[in-house]
Amino acid sequence: MSKSKSSESVKVVVRCRPMNEKEQASKFERVVSVDVKLGQIVVRNPREASASEAPKVFTFDSVYDWNSKQIDLYDETFRPLVDSVLLGFNGTIFAYGQTGTGKTYTMEGVRHDPERRGVIPNSFEHIFTHISRSQNQQYLVRASYLEIYQEEIKDLLSKNQSHRLELRERPDTGVYVKDLSSFVTKSVREIEHVMNVGNQNRSVGATNMNEHSSRSHAIFVITVECSELGVDGENHIRVGKLNLVDLAGSERQTKTGAQGERLKEATKINLSLSALGNVISALVDGRSSHIPYRDSKLTRLLQDSLGGNACTVMVANIGPASYNMEETLTTLRYSNRAKNIKNKPRINEDPKDALLREFQEEIAKLKVQLQKRSGGKKKRKQRRRTGEGSDGEDLEGETEDDDEDGEDKGDYWREQQEKLERERNAIMEDHSLVAEEKVRLLNKKEKKMEDLRREREAGEMLAAKVKAMESKLLVGGKNIVDHTNEQQKMLQQRRHEIAEQKHREREMQQQMESRDEETLGLKETYTSLQQEVDIKTKKLKKLFAKLQAVKAEIQDIQEAHIRERQDLEQTQNELTRDLKLKHLIIENFIPLEEKNKIVSRAYIDEEDEHWKMKPITRVEDEHRMMNKPLSAVGYRRPLCHHARMAMMMKPDTRYKAVNIQILDMDLPTRTTIDYQEPAIAPTVAAALRDALRDEDEIQVDALGFYSSLGPTPPASTVSSLKKPKSGRPRTGKKSSTPTSPFSPSSPGSPLYPQCRGLVPK
Ligand code: ADP
Ligand code: MG
């Protein structure tokens, strides 16, 4: 087995989904035709005006039409890739295309229907079946699941779903996600459970799952580590990583009228996808020395899969209906470019971060500890057997095999227990001992028994730990002789052969086509001039049609470029406008001195492309920071003695240091109290009453007033008007009777207190 494959192109396959019910009902025309044998997709323009336009033809490694089965795709396209992951290569499967064209269907499919299961569940089955059939190999399989949404990485398996993860890079292993959780899985069921948990977290976080999934990238990562005894007698570990990527919908996101936050969101949504396009272009171009991997999280994370050391398959999903034509063509062009990317896959052997190695070492360490315990026991036992104090150590006793050890273990503990029990009983029955001595001895024995129990528990725990760790390491070969298993294996082999055969046929046919064209002119000898003219005219026509197709293609691409450029310009304009506003605020509202301070402290963090602030440091010669006055040591600002005392006595906000970062409204405590009527001494009250009596006795004759207003008020009202309590409202004292001369039931307009000068005498 070679450690690295020679350079290998990214394999691109195209899958066209069937017309859905809505499209059928609306009688949309099918514009895509698929030639599975030739590996060609032909797109025809349905518009009348372009009837003369030649259909557009794209050739790929394999193409799948609407009748394609999930299992066919798996056997022909994905199985070889997963096989190389099992050999220790890195592998990536992308699903690319417009929303609703079957990316998720291809990757996940319909979970509970074995016929319609996608690549991810099929790869689970494949991996664990491979392991169960392996011999003399030890495997460790783990899974992670993450999502990139608006350039933020979310761990779909983490308990804390609000946490965002960061990318880090190490020179030896490359780019990785810091703190990404991964779960060791021992079976298909377990890994399926991991996927379900992740999917649940994905949909719970989204208000509209369709919208969310069309804007986010989901990556399921399976790491398979395999340990095998090499020819050099050493254990070697190979690590293969399989990235299963369900990309965001590739349709252009409209961002008309977007501003502020929404603009930011719109520019971020497809950032990863357009960066992916740029990376592909740069890789294929061959002229650019700089590949813009760092432009987005997705491209950084999948750097290995694009021009790196991984095997990559890209599935381009398209829709067949006429209204999807533009997007279909864009997808096909995009994928056409991607097939020219060259990777250099190589096996990851004995990487430093292999978890399997850590597991093996830990198990070995625990086993040694366990051995020491049982060794110690045996020595003691041996001593007992050969007589107390004997020096004869039985080395063989320490290397006895586990089974015997297991059997012995129980006996040993029982023996010890019984012995202690016997000794205790002996002490109890021994009448020659003084009571105190007896108690002391008994206590000693109790303690010994307790120690024994604890030792036993510790031993058991250790054994359980070893067992648990060992159970995570998978070894195959258990049912290798199983008949059905053999048959299945044969069947798979056959399917694989058929797939290979199909692939070869397709390649040959594609080659024949191109050779036909080349040799057309060479082999022909002409019998007459007329024949020569005819044949050459035919050839010319063919070449002319080809030229036209290429010209049309160039024009399409140019148009696409112009659209893209306009889009970028629009984004740029909006961002510039945004920037201008920020400038305006900074220039007018932030003191220059403060601005300069901030500018000198700010730096860009290359890792995550964010501006950050350096901590404040004192520059010796430049006194940028003032020394704190002595009176402020330990405080944020200078405080007077009174303030310090007040702070100590009671928590008064008045003496708290100002923290401008807390911007919540601080409601002040109330400093006023309700008005309380002063208590008046009875003598003073009497004097006041007397003093006011004269005024009280003023007769108010409101009759004249009423005659001017309308009808005369009823007699009762007039009599009550005769003696109003007071013409002046009394401050601070609610009068028990209404001050209004009218009774409260009177619906007439209220009579307001009047100026005394106007009251008729
Ligand atoms: P995407 O993930 O690209 O947005 P989906 O995978 O959700 O699209 O597919 C949209 C719909 O089309 C789903 O209902 C799916 O079942 C259906 N579909 C997609 N591809 C196929 C196919 N090859 N065969 C049958 N149904 C398909
Ligand atoms: Mg989807």
Side-chain angles (χ1 to χ4, degrees):
M1 184 196 344
S2 70
K3 292 275 159 72
S4 67
K5 296 184 183 179
S6 56
S7 100
E8 179 189 275
S9 295
V10 168
K11 194 170 173 186
V12 180
V13 303
V14 177
R15 184 182 203 184
C16 184
R17 71 158 163 78
M19 285 260 197
N20 59 31
E21 282 171 13
K22 234 163 90 189
E23 288 164 351
Q24 275 170 347
S26 321
K27 297 217 165 29
F28 274 111
E29 204 179 327
R30 185 194 297 283
V31 294
V32 176
S33 46
V34 180
D35 188 334
V36 179
K37 276 226 169 93
L38 266 180
Q40 277 183 348
I41 301 272
V42 182
V43 184
R44 205 164 29 77
N45 197 336
R47 267 179 287 154
E48 297 261 316
S50 42
S52 58
E53 206 178 283
K56 295 184 169 62
V57 183
F58 298 86
T59 309
F60 295 96
D61 293 305
S62 311
V63 294
Y64 296 91
D65 62 11
W66 32 92
N67 298 319
S68 58
K69 300 258 175 315
Q70 297 274 44
I71 195 73
D72 291 340
L73 242 90
Y74 193 80
D75 282 337
E76 285 172 35
T77 304
F78 306 123
R79 188 176 287 280
L81 182 119
V82 178
D83 274 332
S84 35
V85 169
L86 289 166
L87 288 178
F89 290 98
N90 285 348
T92 299
I93 299 173
F94 286 103
Y96 180 91
Q98 187 188 357
T99 301
T101 50
K103 294 184 295 299
T104 309
Y105 183 81
T106 305
M107 296 312 291
E108 281 176 39
V110 182
R111 256 174 255 166
H112 308 297
D113 182 354
E115 285 253 309
R116 290 189 289 161
R117 269 194 323 216
V119 193
I120 301 181
N122 279 331
S123 71
F124 296 165
E125 201 79 51
H126 180 176
I127 290 168
F128 285 101
T129 314
H130 173 93
I131 292 173
S132 75
R133 285 180 190 155
S134 67
Q135 273 177 313
N136 306 322
Q137 287 170 334
Q138 228 176 13
Y139 283 90
L140 186 77
V141 181
R142 58 202 154 107
S144 308
Y145 201 0
L146 62 98
E147 179 188 73
I148 304 178
Y149 181 59
Q150 285 189 29
E151 286 308 283
E152 285 186 337
I153 302 175
K154 192 166 107 177
D155 183 351
L156 291 172
L157 303 179
S158 146
K159 283 207 180 82
N160 180 5
Q161 282 298 304
S162 55
H163 192 57
R164 296 289 170 263
L165 303 184
E166 310 233 324
L167 285 178
R168 290 274 174 273
E169 193 162 359
R170 262 203 320 243
D172 51 343
T173 50
V175 181
Y176 66 99
V177 183
K178 193 169 166 260
D179 300 331
L180 179 69
S181 46
S182 72
F183 286 85
V184 175
T185 53
K186 304 194 289 277
S187 63
V188 175
R189 214 165 42 82
E190 278 185 22
I191 199 165
E192 269 175 356
H193 178 66
V194 169
M195 189 173 85
N196 290 343
V197 169
N199 278 339
Q200 253 162 27
N201 280 337
R202 211 177 164 208
S203 49
V204 165
T207 39
N208 177 351
M209 186 54 199
N210 261 350
E211 166 101 353
H212 182 79
S213 79
S214 75
R215 290 171 169 218
S216 63
H217 313 282
I219 309 180
F220 194 88
V221 189
I222 310 174
T223 313
V224 184
E225 300 186 2
C226 169
S227 153
E228 196 177 14
L229 206 63
V231 277
D232 54 359
E234 295 268 319
N235 254 330
H236 287 288
I237 293 184
R238 285 177 275 128
V239 181
K241 206 161 103 182
L242 177 63
N243 295 307
L244 299 152
V245 191
D246 187 352
L247 288 175
S250 62
E251 62 274 4
R252 285 145 51 87
Q253 304 279 347
T254 46
K255 44 175 181 269
T256 39
Q259 269 194 345
E261 277 305 300
R262 270 204 50 220
L263 170 71
K264 221 160 81 188
E265 185 194 297
T267 48
K268 269 183 182 177
I269 285 168
N270 264 2
L271 183 73
S272 279
L273 222 48
S274 57
L276 182 66
N278 294 341
V279 165
I280 292 175
S281 300
L283 280 169
V284 176
D285 182 12
R287 275 172 297 172
S288 28
S289 55
H290 171 69
I291 313 292
Y293 290 116
R294 297 185 77 94
D295 281 2
S296 78
K297 300 258 155 84
L298 180 77
T299 45
R300 273 196 85 189
L301 202 53
L302 300 176
Q303 186 164 343
D304 265 355
S305 318
L306 301 157
N309 73 346
C311 314
T312 305
V313 173
M314 176 168 162
V315 193
N317 290 96
I318 55 172
S322 51
Y323 72 100
N324 286 142
M325 199 189 77
E326 278 301 315
E327 285 299 339
T328 299
L329 281 174
T330 316
T331 304
L332 289 172
R333 283 195 197 105
Y334 195 95
S335 337
N336 218 8
R337 254 182 296 163
K339 71 184 185 195
N340 297 319
I341 299 176
K342 292 268 184 292
N343 282 350
K344 266 197 174 353
R346 98 183 106 72
I347 290 182
N348 306 310
E349 197 166 56
D350 295 322
K352 281 196 198 107
D353 59 345
L355 194 66
L356 185 57
R357 172 87 67 220
E358 277 175 37
F359 263 62
Q360 283 174 336
E361 281 169 5
E362 184 68 25
I363 290 173
K365 212 165 80 190
L366 290 173
K367 272 191 169 163
V368 167
Q369 278 181 23
L370 211 61
Q371 194 96 41
K372 266 190 196 151
R373 280 172 178 278
S374 57
K377 274 179 339 216
K378 288 214 182 73
K379 271 185 224 163
R380 269 177 261 149
K381 202 157 86 180
Q382 201 67 30
R383 239 176 263 139
R384 268 188 295 122
R385 273 186 200 149
T386 50
E388 206 70 27
S390 156
D391 282 333
E393 277 187 29
D394 189 346
L395 282 176
E396 261 175 30
E398 285 187 69
T399 51
E400 267 177 326
D401 75 35
D402 275 0
D403 281 353
E404 218 176 301
D405 192 42
E407 254 173 52
D408 265 12
K409 235 187 257 168
D411 287 351
Y412 171 75
W413 293 118
R414 214 172 310 121
E415 262 176 43
Q416 288 290 308
Q417 192 101 16
E418 278 166 12
K419 187 180 152 222
L420 279 169
E421 203 69 44
R422 271 202 307 279
E423 282 172 0
R424 208 176 68 160
N425 289 344
I427 293 167
M428 296 274 273
E429 282 159 21
D430 191 345
H431 300 296
S432 64
L433 285 170
V434 195
E436 267 176 36
E437 181 72 356
K438 224 178 195 173
V439 170
R440 198 180 59 82
L441 281 174
L442 272 174
N443 279 348
K444 214 167 133 189
K445 286 290 161 213
E446 286 287 347
K447 198 166 163 287
K448 235 181 180 169
M449 274 171 91
E450 181 63 27
D451 287 348
L452 192 71
R453 198 172 51 76
R454 231 178 271 146
E455 200 182 326
R456 182 180 175 170
E457 273 172 11
E460 278 169 0
M461 246 162 69
L462 211 61
K465 204 168 164 189
V466 172
K467 218 170 177 177
M469 286 193 85
E470 273 183 334
S471 78
K472 292 198 172 172
L473 301 185
L474 305 170
V475 282
K478 277 178 204 148
N479 40 9
I480 204 80
V481 280
D482 191 341
H483 189 59
T484 49
N485 214 342
E486 274 301 300
Q487 270 185 341
Q488 259 185 5
K489 206 171 158 185
M490 288 284 283
L491 203 70
Q492 233 156 49
Q493 183 74 21
R494 279 281 128 75
R495 277 218 297 261
H496 185 59
E497 279 168 14
I498 293 170
E500 287 251 300
Q501 182 76 21
K502 265 197 203 165
H503 193 231
R504 266 202 302 276
E505 256 177 49
R506 197 163 34 239
E507 265 184 353
M508 268 161 70
Q509 215 145 9
Q510 281 175 3
Q511 273 173 8
M512 258 162 62
E513 277 244 321
S514 63
R515 212 163 287 164
D516 255 7
E517 281 173 16
E518 282 168 22
T519 53
L520 203 65
L522 295 176
K523 67 180 179 203
E524 276 153 14
T525 48
Y526 311 109
T527 49
S528 69
L529 263 177
Q530 184 55 41
Q531 196 194 10
E532 191 178 345
V533 169
D534 285 349
I535 291 172
K536 287 208 167 154
T537 316
K538 215 167 110 190
K539 200 174 153 192
L540 194 67
K541 266 188 188 157
K542 210 170 174 181
L543 286 178
F544 186 73
K546 222 172 171 181
L547 180 71
Q548 291 307 318
V550 171
K551 272 188 179 165
E553 189 66 26
I554 290 174
Q555 195 175 348
D556 283 349
I557 292 175
Q558 269 175 350
E559 274 169 19
H561 265 290
I562 289 171
R563 268 204 307 276
E564 209 167 300
R565 214 185 57 204
Q566 281 171 346
D567 222 37
L568 284 176
E569 275 169 4
Q570 190 197 344
T571 310
Q572 195 193 354
N573 284 344
E574 274 154 11
L575 286 174
T576 315
R577 206 179 320 148
D578 213 34
L579 195 66
K580 277 182 181 162
L581 174 68
K582 303 250 152 90
H583 262 301
L584 181 86
I585 297 171
I586 292 169
E587 297 304 326
N588 291 294
F589 296 95
I590 311 249
L592 187 66
E593 192 189 337
E594 295 302 319
K595 190 185 98 178
N596 288 344
K597 271 189 214 164
I598 295 169
V599 169
S600 64
R601 271 179 63 202
Y603 72 100
I604 188 119
D605 186 343
E606 297 289 341
E607 261 316 316
D608 48 9
E609 302 250 313
H610 273 143
W611 282 99
K612 290 188 174 164
M613 287 288 181
K614 273 187 234 159
I616 301 175
T617 46
R618 187 164 298 143
V619 181
E620 284 308 323
D621 35 352
E622 273 178 71
H623 282 285
R624 271 195 230 170
M625 255 177 60
M626 275 191 346
N627 282 342
K628 255 188 182 177
L630 275 182
S631 60
V633 175
Y635 299 102
R636 281 175 190 245
R637 59 175 187 192
L639 286 174
C640 64
H641 180 71
H642 174 75
R644 265 183 238 172
M645 291 309 287
M647 246 163 53
M648 265 187 273
M649 301 305 280
K650 56 175 180 174
D652 189 345
T653 43
R654 187 173 160 197
Y655 298 110
K656 275 211 176 130
V658 184
N659 186 351
I660 57 158
Q661 279 175 325
I662 298 171
L663 299 172
D664 297 338
M665 285 268 266
D666 229 0
L667 284 176
T669 47
R670 191 172 170 189
T671 52
T672 56
I673 50 169
D674 283 334
Y675 175 72
Q676 296 258 320
E677 188 183 347
I680 301 173
T683 47
V684 178
L688 270 172
R689 250 197 320 274
D690 285 344
L692 291 171
R693 185 166 300 149
D694 284 347
E695 272 183 76
D696 280 354
E697 279 170 359
I698 294 167
Q699 294 266 323
V700 180
D701 187 1
L703 280 178
F705 178 69
Y706 278 109
S707 58
S708 68
L709 277 178
T712 335
S716 63
T717 323
V718 176
S719 71
S720 74
L721 274 174
K722 284 254 163 92
K723 238 184 176 183
K725 279 250 166 185
S726 167
R728 200 170 62 178
R730 283 184 192 174
T731 48
K733 193 169 186 175
K734 279 186 200 146
S735 55
S736 50
T737 50
T739 42
S740 158
F742 285 106
S743 66
S745 58
S746 161
S749 55
L751 183 67
Y752 298 103
Q754 294 173 17
C755 170
R756 239 192 304 163
L758 295 176
V759 176
K761 286 269 173 182

